[in-house]
């Protein structure tokens, strides 16, 4: 994606991010920038320059509250809520997409769904203090992710991922999915000192961290906005990206995070490309 096109995309994402931030404040929902978005906020005071992604997470209590309110209160003239675990979107996180725009990913070309520019909203699950139980939560999430990717039509060049997607597509039934999800979420109504983002792409030892790192949101500059990051965001980023997270990555590392976009249009609806 060319720099000018990426900049225009960033402007649209910021419009969604600003609306989402206001929505959460008005409804007393706590959320935090996560992953590369949190890293961008701390290292670049905005987007990582080559990134076309924007991710937030919430703990289970706030995510559940968000799901209950968003269908009722979202401005549907401007935005579309793409709910997790739906026929349209089988993944285990949700999206808010902007109407009248286009962001079509390679593995979603031709799929009947809303393809507007979006932000991702993830749920943190409570994690066991026992490493083997926590790994079971993580392993179950990997299986569910593979099943969801199979349903979504995910394209990959990795033979291992292809095999996992084929196997999960064949053998993970609706009943198995429910069982695996129960194992992942089994501690969500308990008090645990660890939380985990098991449904993301991070390897096991980068998925879980101390709940105290979240704390009261700390507001930092993100482009033209001021947005919340975990109170101890530096500790979170050390777990997620290592102690040298403030250093600029090599070109090789950048290549590990390719653009999500195949067709992007900030002015036209995806309907014109279907």
């Amino acid at each position: 994606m060319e720099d000018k096109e990426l900049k225009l995309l960033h402007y649209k994402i910021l419009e969604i991010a600003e609306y989402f931030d206001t929505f959460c404040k008005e409804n007393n929902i706590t959320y935090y920038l996560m992953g590369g978005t949190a890293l961008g906020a701390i290292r670049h005071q905005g987007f990582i320059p080559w990134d076309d992604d924007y991710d937030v997470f919430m703990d289970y209590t706030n995510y559940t509250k968000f799901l209950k309110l968003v269908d009722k209160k979202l401005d549907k003239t401007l935005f579309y809520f793409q709910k997790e675990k739906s026929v349209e979107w089988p993944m285990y996180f949700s999206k808010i997409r902007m109407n009248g725009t286009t962001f079509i990913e390679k593995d979603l070309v031709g799929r009947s769904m809303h393809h507007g520019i979006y932000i991702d909203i993830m749920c943190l699950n409570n994690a066991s203090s026992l490493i083997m139980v926590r790994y079971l939560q993580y392993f179950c999430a990997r299986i569910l992710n593979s099943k969801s990717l199979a349903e979504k039509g995910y394209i990959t060049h990795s033979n291992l991922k292809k095999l996992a997607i084929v196997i999960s597509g064949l053998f993970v039934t609706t009943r198995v999915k429910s069982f695996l999800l129960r194992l992942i979420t089994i501690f969500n109504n308990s008090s645990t000192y660890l939380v985990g983002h098991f449904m993301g792409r991070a390897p096991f030892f980068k998925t879980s961290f101390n709940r105290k790192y979240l704390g009261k949101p700390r507001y930092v500059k993100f482009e033209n906005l001021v947005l919340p990051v975990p109170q101890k965001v530096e500790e979170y980023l050390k777990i997620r990206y290592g102690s040298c997270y403030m250093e600029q990555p090599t070109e090789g590392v950048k290549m590990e995070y390719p653009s999500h976009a195949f067709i992007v249009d900030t002015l036209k609806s995806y309907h014109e490309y279907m």
Side-chain angles (χ1 to χ4, degrees):
M1 189 184 302
E2 294 181 2
D3 290 345
K4 183 179 179 181
E5 188 179 31
L6 184 58
K7 201 69 178 175
L8 290 172
L9 173 61
H10 285 170
Y11 289 147
K12 286 298 183 183
I13 293 174
L14 286 171
E15 288 183 39
I16 309 172
E18 184 173 25
Y19 174 83
F20 175 75
D21 184 66
T22 301
F23 181 95
C24 288
K25 286 175 179 173
E26 289 177 348
N27 291 285
N28 196 28
I29 295 168
T30 300
Y31 80 95
Y32 311 85
L33 304 186
M34 66 163 284
T37 310
L39 177 61
I42 299 304
R43 193 171 69 193
H44 304 275
Q45 291 76 57
F47 290 100
I48 294 175
W50 53 90
D51 196 8
D52 62 2
D53 210 9
Y54 183 97
D55 301 318
V56 304
F57 56 26
M58 308 172 181
D59 65 19
Y60 174 74
T61 300
N62 282 280
Y63 189 71
T64 302
K65 182 178 181 181
F66 170 74
L67 291 182
K68 288 180 180 177
L69 293 175
V70 68
D71 275 333
K72 299 176 183 177
K73 296 190 174 185
L74 186 77
D75 184 345
K76 294 181 175 64
T77 60
L78 297 175
F79 303 103
Y80 176 82
F81 180 58
Q82 205 158 54
K83 189 176 182 180
E84 64 166 37
K85 295 179 290 185
S86 61
V87 174
E88 178 191 31
W89 186 246
M91 305 303 291
Y92 287 81
F93 59 93
S94 299
K95 294 176 179 281
I96 290 179
R97 291 186 180 265
M98 180 177 281
N99 295 332
T101 64
T102 301
F103 191 103
I104 301 177
E105 299 171 66
K106 286 183 180 180
D107 58 338
L108 297 177
V109 173
R111 185 174 176 83
S112 179
M113 58 177 278
H114 196 296
H115 290 276
I117 293 168
Y118 63 84
I119 66 171
D120 289 329
I121 302 134
M122 317 276 186
C123 179
L124 290 167
N125 288 289
N126 290 355
S128 173
S129 58
L130 300 175
I131 189 169
M132 291 307 297
V133 177
R134 198 160 68 249
Y135 190 81
L136 177 62
Q137 290 179 276
Y138 171 81
F139 182 69
C140 291
R142 299 273 66 74
I143 297 173
L144 283 182
N145 269 345
S146 293
K147 175 65 174 180
S148 297
L149 291 171
E151 294 173 356
K152 186 167 76 85
Y154 180 66
I155 298 171
T156 178
H157 297 296
S158 166
N159 290 329
L160 184 60
K161 287 182 180 179
K162 286 178 182 177
L163 180 62
I165 288 170
V166 169
I167 292 173
S168 61
L170 290 173
F171 298 106
V172 179
T173 63
T174 300
R175 183 175 294 181
V176 172
K177 284 168 63 176
S178 297
F179 175 71
L180 294 173
L181 190 60
R182 282 200 302 272
L183 292 177
I184 296 166
T185 61
I186 193 169
F187 301 106
N188 280 352
N189 293 315
S190 306
S191 179
T192 61
Y193 83 91
L194 292 175
V195 291
H197 180 227
F198 299 119
M199 294 298 185
R201 60 180 290 179
F204 173 66
F205 286 106
K206 295 183 179 183
T207 55
S208 303
F209 56 93
N210 195 317
R211 183 188 301 277
K212 291 182 180 179
Y213 292 175
L214 294 175
K216 184 179 179 181
R218 201 170 102 201
Y219 281 80
V220 301
K221 177 178 171 54
F222 191 94
E223 303 295 343
N224 63 320
L225 304 177
V226 178
L227 298 174
V229 295
Q231 188 177 69
K232 296 185 177 181
V233 65
E234 293 84 3
E235 298 304 315
Y236 162 69
L237 290 175
K238 284 178 186 176
I239 290 175
R240 185 66 179 83
Y241 297 105
S243 59
C244 298
Y245 64 85
M246 289 298 287
E247 296 179 6
Q248 293 293 330
T250 64
E251 290 301 316
V253 171
K254 289 181 186 179
M255 292 295 290
E256 294 176 13
Y257 298 88
S259 171
H260 294 74
F262 181 58
I263 303 172
V264 176
D265 196 321
T266 59
L267 300 176
K268 294 181 182 178
S269 170
Y270 64 93
H271 289 106
E272 299 193 29
Y273 293 90
M274 297 300 286

